[in-house]
Amino acid sequence: MTEKRFIVSLSPHLRHGRTIRQMILTTMIALIPAVAWGVYQFGFRVLVVIIAAALGAIITEATVNRVGDNPYTIKDFHAALVGLVLALLLPPAVPLWIPFLGGVLAILVGKAPFGPLGSAPLAPALVGVLILALSWPAEIDHYTQPRTAAEAVKADDAAPAEPPLTAVYVDPSDAADYCTSGLFLGNQVGAIGTISPLLLLLGGLLLLWRKVIRWQAPVGFLIGVAVTAGIAHGIAPGSVAPATFHLFTGATMFGAFFLCSEWTSTPVTPWGMFLFGLFAGGVVILFRVCGMPFGRVPWAIVLMSLATPLFDRIASTPFGKAASHA
Amino acid sequence: MRRGIKLPTRAPSGAAEKMVPPKQVVLLLRQEVGRSCKPVVKVGDAVKAGQQIADGAESGAADLHASISGEVKAFTEVLLSDGTEEKAIVIEGDGGGGVQPATKISKPLSAEPAELLERIRQAGIICASREAKSLCAVIDEAMSPRGYLNPTGEAIAKPIRHIAVRFCDTDPLVCSLRAVAGQIGKNTTALKLGIDALLKITSAEEVHFALDKTQELAAVEKLADENDIAVHRFDACQYPSFSDPLIAAAVLGKEPEVAYKRIHESGVLVLDIDTVLETAAALKSGTPVTHKTIAAVSSTGIKAVTAPIGTSLEAIAEIAAQGLSPDKVILGGPMQGMAHFTLDFPMSKSTTALTLLRREDHTKAQNDPCICCGLCSEVCPTRLTPGMLSRLCEFKEFAQAEEAHLFSCIECGCCAYVCPAGRSMVQFMVQGKSERLAARRSD
């Protein structure tokens, strides 16, 4: 008689059912408003930029899988997400080979050497962006005026499009010319996906609600940016823009919700995540004030990612341990 | 910060269904961890329900009693889930209701604590939720002197100061304790007797009740009110709020040490309501444990069933899931139960539930690499970093895992529940712990 044998495994026997793939797709969905705003402001060419970056990343990952004789991992959409995030950090008018090459480099240098998803010490998309920024600074610097430029202050068709941060870096007193609500709503020159703090905030809230990311790192990052900028502005109002300006320009919002909370490259302990964000935010202001033409938020976060293992040591006291020392 | 996980459903607290006595029961001689009984009957003997059939006096095990009346058919061996074989007594029922007459004990509490404890042992009471140890063993363990408690090495004992009675199952999908608590009704004399006896045995000072926030037990609350018993309310859906460490923390007002099972030394003895009622029955009339109320959990519903010990799981499965063909059979609840390979297995005194899952009800572990998303650290009730611990154990860095407080893990499974990479976190933790303990033993 053959009796039925059942599956055995250790508890728990129920799982939530959330998968990595779902979490990556949720992140992409959370980015849709920002992408749509980029398309509205800069035209359909930005979609081509995004697709070029995603293709670069996906093709590279598939090739790496093939060469390494590993199972194909592009099905989890991580490579596509890397390409998307990378493209959103680039100016709208970059030559198309830049995003493609960025996607290739992000995977080839930032992810593949370390192993499967979960092993890379730095966020692959940031690695791609920073290699591009270091290697082809002139090719990267292709900003265009947004469609709503007429409403934005300082709209001057003759002048080349210049992101607020660059303008302020050249002349800090320019910060007063920007209207905060205009910046918050996304009327500014900047990278494809980073110009609308409002829509990025909404996307971030979606991620928080779906538990794709934890709140500590984004909140810490925003506090870090605001407090550092506030203190610096208070000390030297002539050379540092106010905190609101720094919160709503550049990639601050994008960094808070989509870079600071990138899983693998950031800490997992509650205080570790918060301090990671806080320090990264502070470093962003340092870079913005003391000079760096492009990629200040990516640089700050990559720098902090190098210290992730240290931040992870800031763990909570386990249950009952405090009592035993008392 | 509230930790743990919110489980979607809560078991109903309906009354337990009484099971029709089965034709045959198989009683394992080892009902508790580490100790087994010696049979005192022979093949062919006629036994009544409640009659002693195996004696544990020698090893200190709780005695074993026939759960139905009938004839001792055979001695057999049953393959346990850990791969060892265990002797068992098969009793074929005669369908009659022959019950061993109860011996009325007039003043049950007049006896000495040691005698009370012996009577509890003779009644065969097992604490199902405490790793299937007998009540005697649990009390013994908590009260026995130990050398490492004292810097001089002289063995001292830590007194049991609080007794906490759990009225709701740790696993929110299991309803056995809820059903037992619901059956108390208006008459709380048995509960009172059980508590008084345990207070006398352990010389504890305080009693606490742990109830679910939705449980309405007016009589029990009245008893608590009259006897100065603190009632703590927890949310069973916020798993694992009914686990021993969290109840002990609420009782003490501070977190007890949980590493290396030292929770036994916290001075809190957490007991299930059924154990307390069984104690009362044993002391009042010498009634041994013959039946057990367990939960039958499946996707078609959750029911409480009172069945004789030794009933085949198949019979209970029929009640749990009519026509449903399960893929996984779990002794216990879905969060902490033990999967078993066959339904051809007798229910024992330590069975709290039988959970049947179909393929679509459970997700298989994937064991993809950890992506450090931080979900597990967010839910861990003991504030560990389970992702890191699981990787340390996966890559056999057991010593480092121990330094990272591996032994503070209470194996609740919250981390594995939320893990998007489908890692079998608990398995890594358990493996790590056993490797460390084995390494220490060989030192």
Side-chain angles (χ1 to χ4, degrees):
Chain A
M1 192 188 97
T2 55
E3 61 173 324
K4 178 158 184 193
R5 294 277 157 136
F6 300 100
I7 298 173
V8 285
S9 73
L10 223 59
S11 59
H13 306 286
L14 290 184
R15 284 168 183 274
H16 181 278
R18 191 188 281 117
T19 62
I20 294 173
R21 187 184 145 124
Q22 271 173 17
M23 286 165 76
I24 289 174
L25 286 175
T26 311
T27 312
M28 288 182 171
I29 291 168
L31 281 169
I32 285 177
V35 172
W37 185 252
V39 172
Y40 171 73
Q41 289 286 39
F42 302 119
F44 281 98
R45 185 175 184 278
V46 300
L47 279 185
V48 185
V49 173
I50 291 170
I51 290 168
L55 272 183
I58 293 169
I59 292 172
T60 312
E61 176 134 323
T63 313
V64 168
N65 289 157
R66 179 76 190 266
V67 170
D69 204 13
N70 288 321
Y72 284 103
T73 51
I74 50 173
K75 285 176 296 204
D76 65 12
F77 291 107
H78 184 250
L81 179 69
V82 166
L84 175 63
V85 169
L86 175 113
L88 294 183
L89 284 167
L90 294 174
V94 287
L96 287 178
W97 60 269
I98 284 277
F100 184 82
L101 186 63
V104 172
L105 289 170
I107 298 296
L108 206 59
V109 181
K111 183 179 175 190
F114 303 101
L117 177 61
S119 317
L122 305 173
L126 295 184
V127 172
V129 167
L130 294 178
I131 294 176
L132 292 178
L134 288 177
S135 311
W136 294 278
E139 282 82 354
I140 292 251
D141 194 17
H142 279 83
Y143 290 96
T144 50
Q145 287 289 357
R147 181 193 293 255
T148 54
E151 296 159 32
V153 186
K154 279 199 81 175
D156 182 357
D157 280 357
E162 195 179 34
L165 277 172
T166 314
V168 168
Y169 179 62
V170 175
D171 180 5
S173 63
D174 276 1
D177 296 342
Y178 292 95
C179 120
T180 308
S181 63
L183 291 174
F184 183 62
L185 293 174
N187 298 330
Q188 55 175 308
V189 178
I192 296 169
T194 63
I195 54 169
S196 175
L198 171 69
L199 296 175
L200 289 166
L201 187 66
L202 288 179
L205 291 179
L206 173 76
L207 294 188
L208 286 173
W209 176 54
R210 300 303 300 163
K211 297 206 174 210
V212 175
I213 61 171
R214 318 280 82 75
W215 61 269
Q216 286 94 339
V219 169
F221 185 75
L222 294 178
I223 292 177
V225 167
V227 168
T228 317
I231 292 173
H233 179 70
I235 294 170
S239 49
V240 183
T244 46
F245 177 84
H246 280 293
L247 278 179
F248 300 145
T249 53
T252 309
M253 278 298 165
F254 191 85
F257 290 105
F258 297 93
L259 301 178
C260 252
S261 47
E262 204 269 349
W263 306 314
T264 312
S265 61
T266 62
V268 293
T269 59
W271 277 103
M273 285 189 284
F274 182 78
L275 292 174
F276 174 93
L278 197 72
F279 285 131
V283 173
V284 166
I285 298 301
L286 187 73
F287 286 171
R288 282 183 182 175
V289 174
C290 300
M292 184 178 292
F294 180 84
R296 286 145 295 215
V297 168
W299 269 119
I301 291 174
V302 160
L303 196 67
M304 277 305 133
S305 290
L306 293 174
T308 291
L310 295 179
F311 281 111
D312 265 335
R313 297 187 71 102
I314 312 173
S316 317
T317 320
F319 190 89
K321 287 291 173 194
S324 65
H325 294 307
Chain B
M1 199 159 105
R2 224 157 59 139
R3 286 169 172 268
I5 49 174
K6 197 94 185 159
L7 284 175
T9 38
R10 186 196 300 266
S13 41
E17 190 178 309
K18 195 125 187 142
M19 198 173 161
V20 184
K23 285 203 181 68
Q24 179 185 299
V25 292
V26 180
L27 293 140
L28 293 171
L29 286 175
R30 197 180 74 197
Q31 296 276 338
E32 64 190 284
V33 172
R35 292 171 178 173
S36 47
C37 315
K38 274 201 175 137
V40 293
V41 287
K42 298 188 300 294
V43 174
D45 283 3
V47 290
K48 289 177 187 154
Q51 183 184 334
Q52 186 194 25
I53 55 170
D55 182 53
E58 200 173 300
S59 62
D63 286 353
L64 185 62
H65 307 79
S67 55
I68 56 172
S69 72
E71 187 192 331
V72 177
K73 201 75 191 159
F75 288 84
T76 176
E77 300 232 309
V78 176
L79 187 60
L80 304 183
S81 52
D82 64 2
T84 55
E85 290 208 320
E86 188 54 47
K87 282 202 179 69
I89 301 175
V90 183
I91 297 176
E92 191 141 299
D94 54 12
V99 178
Q100 185 82 349
T103 48
K104 191 101 180 131
I105 301 161
S106 54
K107 275 195 182 152
L109 289 180
S110 59
E112 288 298 302
E115 199 193 324
L116 291 178
L117 208 55
E118 172 63 13
R119 269 196 244 150
I120 287 174
R121 189 194 65 72
Q122 284 168 357
I125 300 171
I126 304 281
C127 298
S129 60
R130 298 199 62 141
E131 304 170 309
K133 286 193 177 123
S134 73
L135 180 56
C136 291
V138 168
I139 292 175
D140 245 22
E141 189 175 75
M143 292 182 47
S144 60
R146 264 157 291 187
Y148 60 81
L149 290 175
N150 194 343
T152 64
E154 187 197 339
I156 55 164
K158 278 233 173 148
I160 298 174
R161 302 172 62 91
H162 310 268
I163 291 175
V165 185
R166 173 165 38 211
F167 284 77
C168 182
D169 309 81
T170 312
D171 202 317
L173 288 165
V174 173
C175 59
S176 52
L177 293 187
R178 278 165 171 277
V180 172
Q183 279 163 358
I184 295 174
K186 289 202 171 60
N187 187 0
T188 52
T189 46
L191 179 59
K192 177 91 176 62
L193 173 67
I195 287 168
D196 287 343
L198 288 166
L199 281 176
K200 178 152 190 187
I201 293 168
T202 60
S203 52
E205 294 147 21
E206 284 176 45
V207 183
H208 302 255
F209 285 171
L211 273 73
D212 181 45
K213 63 177 191 181
T214 62
Q215 258 175 325
E216 282 169 20
L217 299 164
V220 171
E221 280 167 65
K222 190 160 158 272
L223 178 79
D225 218 31
E226 284 162 2
N227 292 279
D228 215 13
I229 295 171
V231 175
H232 303 266
R233 293 250 177 207
F234 302 94
D235 182 2
C237 280
Q238 188 67 27
Y239 176 82
S241 55
F242 274 92
S243 61
D244 288 9
L246 298 196
I247 290 180
V251 164
L252 291 169
K254 64 168 197 201
E255 293 172 350
E257 167 76 277
V258 290
Y260 310 103
K261 317 238 152 154
R262 290 184 70 172
I263 178 141
H264 301 295
E265 285 149 28
S266 64
V268 183
L269 182 65
V270 184
L271 294 172
D272 294 342
I273 175 65
D274 59 351
T275 311
V276 177
L277 294 177
E278 281 163 6
T279 305
L283 297 181
K284 201 167 82 185
S285 55
T287 313
V289 179
T290 55
H291 286 64
K292 188 104 194 154
T293 299
I294 73 163
V297 184
S298 76
S299 51
T300 57
I302 302 164
K303 267 182 233 164
V305 182
T306 305
I309 313 283
T311 308
S312 165
L313 293 184
E314 254 160 311
I316 298 161
E318 266 170 43
I319 299 173
Q322 296 94 347
L324 181 133
S325 108
D327 201 39
K328 206 169 188 180
V329 169
I330 300 150
L331 295 171
M335 290 310 290
Q336 288 192 10
M338 184 73 156
H340 200 64
F341 59 88
T342 175
L343 271 174
D344 181 22
F345 190 76
M347 162 193 150
S348 76
K349 288 181 192 172
S350 54
T351 311
T352 54
L354 174 68
T355 306
L356 302 172
L357 295 177
R358 295 171 301 171
R359 167 74 77 189
E360 54 267 42
D361 299 332
H362 63 94
T363 329
K364 242 175 101 184
Q366 299 283 330
N367 273 334
D368 284 337
C370 170
I371 59 163
C372 304
C373 64
L375 273 167
C376 51
S377 334
E378 194 177 50
V379 298
C380 178
T382 50
R383 296 188 301 273
L384 297 171
T385 312
M388 176 57 78
L389 287 175
S390 81
R391 273 176 291 163
L392 288 172
C393 293
E394 184 176 12
F395 301 126
K396 308 215 171 353
E397 298 289 345
F398 301 117
Q400 220 181 321
E402 189 175 8
E403 267 171 46
H405 303 290
L406 171 68
F407 280 87
S408 287
C409 166
I410 57 169
E411 294 160 30
C412 63
C414 290
C415 47
Y417 180 82
V418 296
C419 182
R423 290 168 68 77
S424 37
M425 309 287 271
V426 178
Q427 186 166 332
F428 287 127
M429 309 286 181
V430 171
Q431 185 199 358
K433 286 183 191 177
S434 61
E435 292 276 352
R436 279 314 286 164
L437 291 178
R440 203 169 310 170
R441 247 177 266 125
S442 65
D443 276 351

